[in-house]
Amino acid sequence: MPRSLRRTGALGACVAAAVALSGPFPASAAPAAPAAPAAPAAETVFTLFAKEVPSGESGQTDQPPEVGDDFSFAGDLYRAKGGEKAGRDGVTCTVVRAGTAGGDLLCVGTFVLTGEPAGQLTGQALMAFTPTGQQPAAFDIAITGGTGDFKDARGFIRSTPDGDHERLEFRITN
C-alpha cells in the first residue's frame, strides 16, 4: 500500500460581481446590468521537496488492507534536496475501498511552511492503490484551505516521486 501522500495542486478563486438593477420596474421586468469582469486571482507557484521522517513502524503486514484501516506519516519540507528546511507535513490515510485488485485511500494532510511564504495549507486526495503497493507516477492534492500567508488559499499540489524525496509543485490562488 502506498505510504506517501505528497502531491497537491491549483484551483482558481472567482470574484462575484454585484449586479445593480435600475429603474422603478418590478424585478421580473428590470433589465440586468452587465456583470463586471472578475478580477484575476493572484497565483503563487513554488516547489518544495518532502522527505518522510522515520516513524519507527514498518507499516507493512501480510494482511490485505480492509476498509477502515489507516496509517499516518510525517515529513520535512525543503526548498531544495539537501537544502534549507522550509517546514513540515503530517498526513493520515484511510482505506475507503478495498478488493483483490486494490482500492482507494482517502488522505488528508497539513503542510506547515516557515519563512516566505509562511502559514499552513491543508489538502486532501483520493488515491488508488494496487496489491503490489506501486505508487502513481504523479498525483494532485486539492488544497482545501490555509492560514497565514495562505488564508483563503485554493489550488493544488502536484506530487511526483524524486528519488528519496517527493517533489511538491504548489499552485495556489487566493
Side-chain angles (χ1 to χ4, degrees):
M1 179 167 23
R3 291 215 42 168
S4 294
L5 168 70
R6 304 267 193 238
R7 308 169 203 200
T8 330
L11 144 75
C14 296
V15 177
V19 177
L21 297 177
S22 60
F25 306 108
S28 60
E43 184 175 52
T44 302
V45 178
F46 58 93
T47 300
L48 296 176
F49 294 87
K51 185 166 185 173
E52 192 170 341
V53 295
S55 67
E57 296 180 20
S58 71
Q60 304 297 324
T61 68
D62 293 336
Q63 301 298 317
E66 296 179 3
V67 172
D69 287 353
D70 62 357
F71 62 92
S72 298
F73 59 93
D76 289 330
L77 304 174
Y78 299 92
R79 299 198 188 286
K81 285 183 173 184
E84 175 188 359
K85 189 173 173 183
R88 64 190 193 284
D89 67 10
V91 179
T92 298
C93 296
T94 303
V95 177
V96 295
R97 181 183 302 215
T100 57
D104 289 324
L105 294 171
L106 177 60
C107 297
V108 179
T110 300
F111 300 84
V112 178
L113 304 179
T114 57
E116 290 292 324
Q120 295 187 17
L121 287 166
T122 57
Q124 70 180 45
L126 184 66
M127 300 173 36
F129 68 87
T130 65
T132 63
Q134 183 177 2
Q135 291 185 324
F139 64 94
D140 291 339
I141 301 164
I143 295 174
T144 57
T147 66
D149 291 336
F150 305 111
K151 180 179 171 254
D152 301 324
R154 294 289 181 259
F156 70 94
I157 303 164
R158 167 66 51 98
S159 179
T160 308
D162 192 350
D164 61 346
H165 289 75
E166 292 288 327
R167 178 185 176 93
L168 302 173
E169 298 173 44
F170 290 76
R171 293 197 163 272
I172 303 166
T173 55
N174 290 340

